[in-house]
Amino acid sequence: MLGTYYTFPELLLWIPLLTGIILFFIKNSKVVKTVALLSSLLTLGVSVTSLFYSDIAHHPEYFNYSNVSYVWMPYIGSSFSVGLDGMGFLLTFLTAFTFPLIFAATHKREYANTNVYYGLMLLTQAGITGVFVATDALVFYFFWELALIPMYFLCSRWGGEFRIRVTFKFFVYTFVSSLLMLIGVIYVYLHTPPVSTLSDHSFYLRSFYNATLTRGEQNGLFWLFFLAFAVKMPIFPFHSWQPDLYEQSSNSSVMVLSGIMVKMGIFGMLRWLLPIFPDAVGSYQTLVIIFCVIGILYGSSIAFVQSDLKRIVAWSSIAHIGLMGAAVFSANNTSLQGVMLEMFNHGINIIALWIVVDIIEKKTGIRKISELGGLAIKSPALSIFFLIIVLANIALPLTNGFASEFLMFTGLFEYNKYLAAFACLSIIISAAYMLNMMQKVFFGVPNTFTENVGAITMSQKFILSIIVLTIVILGIYPGPLLHLTQGSVTEILQKFK
Amino acid sequence: MNAIIISALWGVVMMFGGVFFKKSTIPKYWAIAGIIILLAANILEFRGIQIFNIDVKGMLHFDNFGLQFNTISFICTFLFFLLNGREIEKVGENVSEYFALIFFILCGVSISSSFNTLLMLFLGIEIMSIPSYILTGSDKRNLKSNEASLKYFLMGAFSTGLMLMGIALIYGGNSLGSFYINMIELGTGKMPVMIAAGLVLLVVSMSFKVSAAPFHFWAADVYDGAPTVFTSFMATIVKIAGFIAFIRLFQVSFGIIQQQWQMLIAVITAATLLIGNLTAVFQQSVKRMLAYSSIAHAGFMMFALFALNNTAKEGLILYALSYSVATIGMFAILVKMSDYTIEGFNGLYKYQPVLACTATIFLLSLTGIPLTAGFASKFYMLLAAVKDGHQIWLVVLAVICAAISAVYYFRAIQAIYFKEPPAGAYPQLDVTRNFKYLLIISAAIIILAGILPSLVVDWLYY
């Protein structure tokens, strides 16, 4: 089994899917937590192993597609085909890497119906992985929606007071937009060349790349796809579900949502939007980048005036996502490589922020930055870790954030100097709100809320040091990741010539 | 042919059996036996084995499409009997007659799926409708049931009149003097006035039968007033049989001039989708919500008629299965509830996890979430409509309506999982172990057909 590299994308899918289903039937909550952690570690192992079994030997310059497909609906030209390329590997690895961290970081949390909670988490993992490995449009759409359903239940069942309404808003936003994408998928499908004798058209990714679409058709279809991805990311005018949901949901669901699920939107743009509609991207890229830049400035400005820790992180995420969106639509080698790197880094950094927020919330029971203070005296280790994470979010040199943001800004600058200049303002604002948060939460004199806070435990230190190590290593030496994704970037850019 | 004769005969057997059955629990078993025989006979016919060899002068034509639909409707009826057998006994005293009427409806269903002349179409539709009027009023002491029955009968009779008028006009406008649907003279260019008038009357009356807007007003009251067990039967099998007849008629007789009437169907489809979905959002009673949602689904099924290609027919077959199983399952759960409002479902998962979980799968399927049959059928419908390529706005509208439908289906899901059950003791539901297993099987069918729709569709080309 291990001899053929082809089985890895499937293993990445089936392990969380099957353990997720099994967990629903286990009652003991300790066993549930252990099984979930082991399953996610196993997935991580598979993901790492898949790197060594890649055909780098044959294609030293980059990861190539490896594809495995099963007959599914031959008469309409759809097969269950999954595969990994550099970009796919990067994101499946991000998923596999962060889930054990999330499970470990929230190990102590008690939930009602623990088995259901962890079962849904693993199903979400399977759904997200499915999106990243799908090379058939219908399979992609299946997983795109399937990742949403367990997430819907996770956020509606566990969380704050208004969680049901807020989650439903998120659900409706994404459901409408993805159904519109379905129309787009069907339309493109009807313009693809056949790959087998059984059907006239095909849902296969390569057939989609070869679809014959006029410029006018592309312009219309572009928006159908764009909307689905933009809502998921979320890009500026479609973001209104995001801050409320992040505030209301339980912390580990938010980690999955903000750390991994939003990458589905960016990934979708890179794999399904840019290469299929290059002409339309040419027509609309300035418009979209303008929206993204507005989102960057808007998100950072709002984050500046928030008083709730979770809302600060939520709005700062909108700013980061806006930057990624702008870089995606700049569509040059530098910016796309920056996006690839940032997808990974943003995932790590924002999950790190949530973990710290979770620790603070658990220790003090409050999230208002005006009521917190003096944590640096009470818990020095936490404050050191948090400082590094904050610096990575500001994108200080030597942290991972710097490498990716630098590439993205350079790419954006290549596309349009003025827009890049506006976008760069976000660095200043983000430094302001992040350091403001740091100052108010950690420095100063301990007050009534924080005076009983103790130091963080060994396991928390361990988790945070893994994250901080990743941040520093990728900050100093991002080369391997860039090497991995160069092939995918080259392939996307080929369509623009 | 097998199905038509056996269902009619078994209906008669059940009716006279009412005299001999001493206990009211016996007819149920006879009915289940009957439906198994019916299913077997239909499958034999699928394989080309005719038990009865009757020369029908080409007035009936059995093809895979019709037979496949028969199979699905018999399977759904089987499921319906198994799930609701005990509830049917509670409706009134004439238990055996209720089953007899259902068998007569199945006879009408089999005729509607295989007619080849306008006369047979009329017979099939009427044989389906008249027992439905009676079943609606079967809860004799309930005024709402009586009202619904009378309303249904009066409106139904009126639409039957329109259908007859349409048939007469088409017959009259036809120099061959023939009722055969494949021999209607449509002329070249614009169709003759009499044919056009007949066509419009047929559209109106068939739209009435399938509860498409603006001829849907009866549906909500009738489905709400009828005994809940029978609502689930009428809203699924009877309605979809109407669609099968509708598409059969329009494909064979008027298929080549589709351009001339497609806009009419598009408008009806759009109106049905909008009215069904928007009205369902405001319902407080789950029964009424499901009644309006059945109108909304009629809108989706109208896509088959709008596109009228092979994909559309595949989609309609899938829709028949996914919608019927989900609706029958949902109604079976609803019948067991003491309170039909959405609040009645509050916290269901805390005291009936199996019911809660299967209800969720049914509702997700009705919404059209991937992995359920509901998605597969909606996907086929959208595929057919985009393939047709004329009215993309209609597809966009349908998608938006599908999203609206999430609002009311998810309201029930939210009640089941996220709301607290009523304080004090949990409501006691009369639910047996077998009932739960059946629900799980129904949910499994939904998921299986969602993952592998070709299992259902490929039989069309068998």
Side-chain angles (χ1 to χ4, degrees), chain A residues 72-73 75-76 113 138 141-142 145-146 149 152-153 156-157 164 168 171 175-176 179 183 186 189-190 203, chain B residues 349 369-371 375 379 382-383 386-387 395-396 399 402-403 406-407 410 413-414 418 451-454 458:
Chain A
W72 184 31
M73 293 193 274
Y75 293 103
I76 57 171
N113 306 77
L138 210 52
Y141 184 80
F142 251 69
E145 293 258 336
L146 276 189
I149 299 298
Y152 169 77
F153 282 98
S156 296
R157 177 75 180 80
I164 298 177
F168 191 64
F171 179 81
F175 190 56
V176 175
L179 277 170
I183 300 178
I186 291 173
Y189 159 75
L190 291 170
F203 279 103
Chain B
Y349 95 102
I369 302 290
L371 263 196
F375 170 76
F379 170 74
L382 294 178
L383 183 61
V386 177
K387 218 178 213 172
V395 184
V396 176
V399 157
V407 174
F410 271 69
I413 294 180
Q414 286 167 357
F418 314 132
I451 298 174
L452 290 170
S454 44
D458 286 355

Side-chain angles (χ1 to χ4, degrees), chain A residues 189-468:
Chain A
Y189 159 75
L190 291 170
H191 291 79
T192 52
V195 288
S196 81
T197 49
L198 283 175
S199 65
D200 298 338
H201 307 288
S202 159
F203 279 103
Y204 185 47
L205 178 64
R206 299 281 171 180
S207 314
F208 265 53
Y209 284 0
N210 296 328
T212 44
L213 295 163
T214 65
R215 200 187 175 90
E217 284 172 331
Q218 281 196 18
N219 285 350
L221 289 167
F222 172 84
W223 291 108
L224 292 180
F225 278 76
F226 175 77
L227 206 62
F229 302 139
V231 165
K232 203 74 150 198
M233 281 171 66
I235 284 179
F236 163 62
F238 311 105
H239 65 278
S240 72
W241 59 266
Q242 193 249 37
D244 293 341
L245 185 65
Y246 284 12
E247 190 196 340
Q248 291 293 327
S249 307
S250 69
N251 287 332
S252 45
S253 337
V254 179
M255 291 177 201
V256 177
L257 254 176
S258 61
I260 315 170
M261 243 178 144
V262 295
K263 309 300 180 301
M264 281 164 55
I266 304 163
F267 173 86
M269 284 188 174
L270 292 171
R271 176 143 292 167
W272 297 95
L273 187 76
L274 260 54
I276 302 178
F277 313 115
D279 293 350
V281 171
S283 324
Y284 296 123
Q285 63 190 145
T286 315
L287 180 65
V288 174
I289 292 175
I290 288 173
F291 273 118
C292 290
V293 171
I294 294 176
I296 296 171
L297 298 175
Y298 181 70
S300 350
S301 320
I302 304 263
F304 193 61
V305 296
Q306 293 298 317
S307 59
D308 186 308
L309 274 177
K310 277 179 126 179
R311 285 187 89 86
I312 296 177
V313 182
W315 282 101
S316 85
S317 172
I318 289 182
H320 280 120
I321 296 285
L323 180 55
M324 284 191 249
V328 167
F329 280 90
S330 305
N332 52 47
N333 196 37
T334 326
S335 72
L336 287 188
Q337 280 286 34
V339 172
M340 298 286 178
L341 202 56
E342 174 76 357
M343 280 202 280
F344 193 84
N345 292 340
H346 178 257
I348 301 287
N349 293 353
I350 197 158
I351 287 174
L353 279 176
W354 289 124
I355 289 176
V356 175
V357 170
D358 184 54
I359 292 173
I360 294 173
E361 195 186 354
K362 206 157 54 181
K363 280 187 186 298
T364 64
I366 45 172
R367 296 196 305 254
K368 283 245 181 298
I369 54 169
S370 53
E371 292 172 359
L372 288 160
L375 282 180
I377 300 168
K378 292 289 169 188
S379 178
L382 183 64
S383 72
I384 293 170
F385 284 127
F386 191 58
L387 181 67
I388 298 173
I389 295 164
V390 161
L391 293 181
N393 261 280
I394 306 171
L396 207 76
L398 286 188
T399 62
N400 60 356
F402 174 72
S404 46
E405 290 206 6
F406 177 75
L407 285 173
M408 288 195 293
F409 279 123
T410 317
L412 189 56
F413 196 83
E414 277 173 37
Y415 178 72
N416 188 322
K417 299 196 267 290
Y418 304 105
L419 285 172
F422 274 110
C424 282
L425 287 177
S426 77
I427 298 184
I428 304 169
I429 312 178
S430 83
Y433 64 75
M434 276 295 172
L435 293 176
N436 181 40
M437 174 169 83
M438 181 80 202
Q439 186 188 348
K440 286 201 171 146
V441 174
F442 282 90
F443 302 130
V445 195
N447 58 23
T448 46
F449 293 105
T450 52
E451 56 192 5
N452 297 325
V453 173
I456 54 174
T457 62
M458 269 317 282
S459 62
Q460 284 166 337
K461 275 182 194 162
F462 177 67
I463 294 160
L464 287 173
S465 36
I466 291 177
I467 291 174
V468 166

Side-chain angles (χ1 to χ4, degrees), chain A residues 35-250:
Chain A
V35 172
L37 188 59
L38 286 180
S39 149
S40 61
L41 283 173
L42 184 63
T43 320
L44 177 62
V46 171
S47 182
V48 172
T49 322
S50 74
L51 188 63
F52 295 109
Y53 279 84
S54 68
D55 45 2
I56 282 182
H58 297 104
H59 300 274
E61 69 283 7
Y62 57 82
F63 240 49
N64 203 16
Y65 267 114
S66 66
N67 207 26
V68 51
S69 74
Y70 300 99
V71 176
W72 184 31
M73 293 193 274
Y75 293 103
I76 57 171
S78 179
S79 55
F80 185 84
S81 54
V82 288
L84 278 178
D85 66 338
M87 179 169 59
F89 173 80
L90 185 77
L91 286 163
T92 46
F93 179 70
L94 173 69
T95 315
F97 179 62
T98 47
F99 261 89
L101 281 179
I102 294 170
F103 285 149
T106 56
H107 197 72
K108 289 277 161 54
R109 285 247 162 190
E110 292 300 332
Y111 303 98
N113 306 77
T114 318
N115 56 338
V116 181
Y117 187 87
Y118 280 91
L120 288 172
M121 281 292 253
L122 286 175
L123 291 188
T124 313
Q125 188 187 4
I128 296 173
T129 311
V131 168
F132 294 147
V133 296
T135 51
D136 180 285
L138 210 52
V139 177
F140 170 75
Y141 184 80
F142 251 69
F143 282 115
W144 180 265
E145 293 258 336
L146 276 189
L148 178 62
I149 299 298
M151 208 35 161
Y152 169 77
F153 282 98
L154 275 174
C155 295
S156 296
R157 177 75 180 80
W158 294 272
E161 189 182 354
F162 306 109
R163 59 182 195 276
I164 298 177
R165 187 172 50 80
V166 168
T167 314
F168 191 64
K169 185 178 178 187
F170 164 63
F171 179 81
V172 169
Y173 262 67
T174 39
F175 190 56
V176 175
S177 61
S178 52
L179 277 170
L180 289 173
M181 178 172 75
L182 182 64
I183 300 178
V185 167
I186 291 173
Y187 197 93
V188 179
Y189 159 75
L190 291 170
H191 291 79
T192 52
V195 288
S196 81
T197 49
L198 283 175
S199 65
D200 298 338
H201 307 288
S202 159
F203 279 103
Y204 185 47
L205 178 64
R206 299 281 171 180
S207 314
F208 265 53
Y209 284 0
N210 296 328
T212 44
L213 295 163
T214 65
R215 200 187 175 90
E217 284 172 331
Q218 281 196 18
N219 285 350
L221 289 167
F222 172 84
W223 291 108
L224 292 180
F225 278 76
F226 175 77
L227 206 62
F229 302 139
V231 165
K232 203 74 150 198
M233 281 171 66
I235 284 179
F236 163 62
F238 311 105
H239 65 278
S240 72
W241 59 266
Q242 193 249 37
D244 293 341
L245 185 65
Y246 284 12
E247 190 196 340
Q248 291 293 327
S249 307
S250 69

